[in-house]
């Protein structure tokens, strides 16, 4: 599987992360980026938050003298063998913690309409065995993301978050003939999905949204507005990579465990 690793720079650590970060050695002078693995770089305009699995283990790994990446140790290891880190095969770990510590951290989401940054929020269905364990949230076009932000906004006390963090405006990114200007809310309603735990229906919605978006989608925003998604996708990806905001991240196919399977 070839992902785009999108770099979300940490702007301000959340309350629980602050102490931990302050006592972490080796971070001085380094910018820390959460690395989200995505197959949909063309949707990055619509990012409204970024998810971690609250019970998953994460680390901060030193890439070079300027940057450190926050992701699962498994992803850092894979990256170290793809010439993403300074020294081949090495991925020096500076810190280690569970995802829950990161809740409320403010990050810059590249290309997002939300220029002041987006919050790190919990998603129970994030898999530790896929991508980087960091999932950027595009509720307009990802049914899983839409179902999750709806649930977060419904139960902020339960999730120990501020309600506003889950309520950033959802803007149209891609138009399709079958699902209108926002595929995910349309499909979630159509398939009567009430919870992020509605696994089978969400897998179905995801597949439908992928297909329709890719083959029929037209961009509604950004540099490639009015262009077909098929054509815009690689262009947005190259733009992000050219600006140092993303990189190619490959995952050995055999290790991929599908969320639906
Ligand atoms: C942004 C985005 C926007 C995504 C969208 C999808 C959609 P796949 O096909 O199963 O490989 N993802 C990445 N890593 C994880 C993880 N560890 N646990 C759970 N979900 C993860 O799915 C790849 C997509 O699943 C990635 O692309 C990411 O969400 C999520 F509009 O990034 B995506 C219709 C889907 N639309």
């Amino acid at each position: 599987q070839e992902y785009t690793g999108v770099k979300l720079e940490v702007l301000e650590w959340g309350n629980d992360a602050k102490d931990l970060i302050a006592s972490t050695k080796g971070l001085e002078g380094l910018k820390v980026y959460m690395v989200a693995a995505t197959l949909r770089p063309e949707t990055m305009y619509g990012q409204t938050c970024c998810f971690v699995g609250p019970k998953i283990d994460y680390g901060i790994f030193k890439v070079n003298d300027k940057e450190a990446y926050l992701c699962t140790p498994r992803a850092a290891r894979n990256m170290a063998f793809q010439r993403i880190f300074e020294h081949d095969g090495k991925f020096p770990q500076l810190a280690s913690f569970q995802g829950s510590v990161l809740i409320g951290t403010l990050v810059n989401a590249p290309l997002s309409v939300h220029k002041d940054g987006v919050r790190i929020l919990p998603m129970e269905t994030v898999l530790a065995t896929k991508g980087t364990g960091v999932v950027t949230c595009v509720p307009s076009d990802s049914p899983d993301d839409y179902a999750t932000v709806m649930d977060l906004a419904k139960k902020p006390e339960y999730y120990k978050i501020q309600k506003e963090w889950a309520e950033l405006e959802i803007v149209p990114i891609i138009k399709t003939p079958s699902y209108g200007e926002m595929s995910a809310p349309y499909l979630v309603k159509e398939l009567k999905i009430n919870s992020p735990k509605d696994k089978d229906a969400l897998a179905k919605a995801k597949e439908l949204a992928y297909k329709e978006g890719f083959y029929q989608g037209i961009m509604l925003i950004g540099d490639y507005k009015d262009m077909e998604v098929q054509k815009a996708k690689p262009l947005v990806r190259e733009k992000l990579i050219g600006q140092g905001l993303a990189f190619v991240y490959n995952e050995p196919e055999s290790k991929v465990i599908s969320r639906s399977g």
Side-chain angles (χ1 to χ4, degrees), residues 13-32:
W13 293 102
N15 279 339
D16 293 345
K18 264 182 192 139
D19 291 347
L20 185 122
I21 293 299
S23 64
T24 298
K25 294 196 177 65
L27 271 177
E28 306 79 23
L30 301 183
K31 284 188 173 172
V32 181

Side-chain angles (χ1 to χ4, degrees), residues 3 37-40 43 127 130 135 141-142 206 210 259:
Y3 290 103
T38 182
L39 295 177
R40 303 284 311 266
T43 66
L127 291 171
K130 184 167 125 175
V135 180
D141 290 85
S142 165
K206 181 178 186 174
Y210 261 135
R259 196 184 338 176

Side-chain angles (χ1 to χ4, degrees), residues 56 87 123 128 131 159 185 200 221 239 251:
I56 294 177
H87 301 291
M123 184 192 228
Y159 288 110
D200 294 341
I221 191 169
K239 180 183 151 117
E251 194 152 82

Side-chain angles (χ1 to χ4, degrees), residues 36-113:
T38 182
L39 295 177
R40 303 284 311 266
E42 77 281 10
T43 66
M44 293 300 102
Y45 301 99
Q47 295 172 87
T48 64
C49 64
C50 176
F51 296 125
V52 294
K55 291 176 197 127
I56 294 177
D57 288 322
Y58 293 87
I60 299 179
F61 302 89
K62 184 173 176 174
V63 178
N64 54 39
D65 287 338
K66 296 197 173 73
E67 303 188 349
Y69 290 169
L70 196 164
C71 59
T72 56
R74 180 191 148 278
R77 169 184 294 276
N78 281 337
M79 285 177 199
F81 292 99
Q82 295 174 38
R83 308 195 174 268
I84 292 165
F85 284 67
E86 186 168 28
H87 301 291
D88 231 16
K90 301 241 161 63
F91 48 107
Q93 183 158 0
L94 304 178
S96 126
F97 41 80
Q98 285 204 321
S100 56
V101 167
L102 299 166
I103 307 306
T105 291
L106 186 71
V107 296
N108 171 59
L111 298 183
S112 172
V113 295

Side-chain angles (χ1 to χ4, degrees), residues 1 3 37-41 43-44 56 123 125-138 140-145 205-211 256-259:
Q1 193 69 276
Y3 290 103
T38 182
L39 295 177
R40 303 284 311 266
T43 66
M44 293 300 102
I56 294 177
M123 184 192 228
T125 53
V126 172
L127 291 171
T129 48
K130 184 167 125 175
T132 55
V134 177
V135 180
T136 196
C137 170
V138 185
S140 56
D141 290 85
S142 165
D144 290 288
D145 296 357
K206 181 178 186 174
E207 195 189 322
L208 293 171
Y210 261 135
K211 282 216 182 96
V256 177
I257 297 164
S258 151
R259 196 184 338 176

Side-chain angles (χ1 to χ4, degrees), residues 1-2 6 8 46 52 58 81 88 142 144 179 191 213 219 227 237 246:
Q1 193 69 276
E2 186 175 288
V6 178
L8 294 91
V52 294
Y58 293 87
F81 292 99
D88 231 16
S142 165
D144 290 288
Y179 312 137
L191 302 185
M219 298 299 297
M227 196 184 273
R237 186 189 210 204

